[in-house]
Amino acid sequence: MGDEKSEDISQTELPNCENVKENEPKDTENNGKADKMKVDILLKATGNAPIMKKKKWAVDAEKPIGWIMEFVKKYLKLEPEEKLFLYVNQTFAPSPDQIIRNLYECFGTDGKLVLHYCKSQAWG
């Protein structure tokens, strides 16, 4: 588990992904584009949710958490009527409009934000 590599979510994996490029630096280096910071997100299955082959992703810090929910639903090929619940550190479900950067700054550990996902309510 400790040797898992973070992989950027790229447009080649999902056609509807925007503003995500492979091998882009995570931190801005005074290039004038402060909104291109990446945050490592670790996605863990909980309950009856299918397990993702790739668990660690580098995501644009300015994306809302709802965007992650939609990405996971597409990645797992869930039906549109199926619900998906995301939890931060197994404690609470953030609102879909919450920005990833804010969650990372408040709840990130070991350089990543841990999100648990499931198809039914688990915590909270």
Side-chain angles (χ1 to χ4, degrees):
M1 283 209 168
D3 56 29
E4 290 181 12
K5 293 183 180 178
S6 174
E7 186 167 324
D8 281 354
I9 300 171
S10 67
Q11 290 181 345
T12 58
E13 294 177 52
L14 289 176
N16 294 335
C17 295
E18 301 175 288
N19 302 326
V20 180
K21 296 179 182 172
E22 291 186 73
N23 301 326
E24 191 171 284
K26 291 181 188 164
D27 297 320
T28 57
E29 297 175 7
N30 296 329
N31 59 2
K33 295 184 179 181
D35 60 336
K36 295 297 180 189
M37 182 183 139
K38 299 278 186 174
V39 171
D40 283 339
I41 295 191
L42 183 62
L43 294 166
K44 293 186 174 184
T46 301
N48 62 346
I51 298 171
M52 299 173 74
K53 285 186 178 182
K54 298 175 194 160
K55 295 174 174 65
K56 196 170 182 184
W57 301 90
V59 179
D60 183 5
E62 298 304 317
K63 295 271 188 204
I65 204 75
W67 186 88
I68 295 289
M69 292 171 82
E70 291 303 314
F71 168 76
V72 173
K73 285 174 82 170
K74 288 177 186 175
Y75 184 89
L76 296 175
K77 298 180 175 117
L78 299 180
E79 296 295 324
E81 64 273 0
E82 289 184 272
K83 295 200 183 284
L84 185 75
F85 298 90
L86 280 180
Y87 295 92
V88 176
N89 295 338
Q90 297 181 348
T91 54
F92 72 97
S95 69
D97 63 345
Q98 188 67 247
I99 302 299
I100 292 171
R101 179 191 311 252
N102 295 343
L103 290 172
Y104 174 74
E105 288 172 355
C106 296
F107 304 103
T109 56
D110 296 329
K112 62 187 171 286
L113 179 63
V114 180
L115 297 176
H116 291 77
Y117 63 94
C118 54
K119 292 169 58 175
S120 60
Q121 286 186 325
W123 297 285

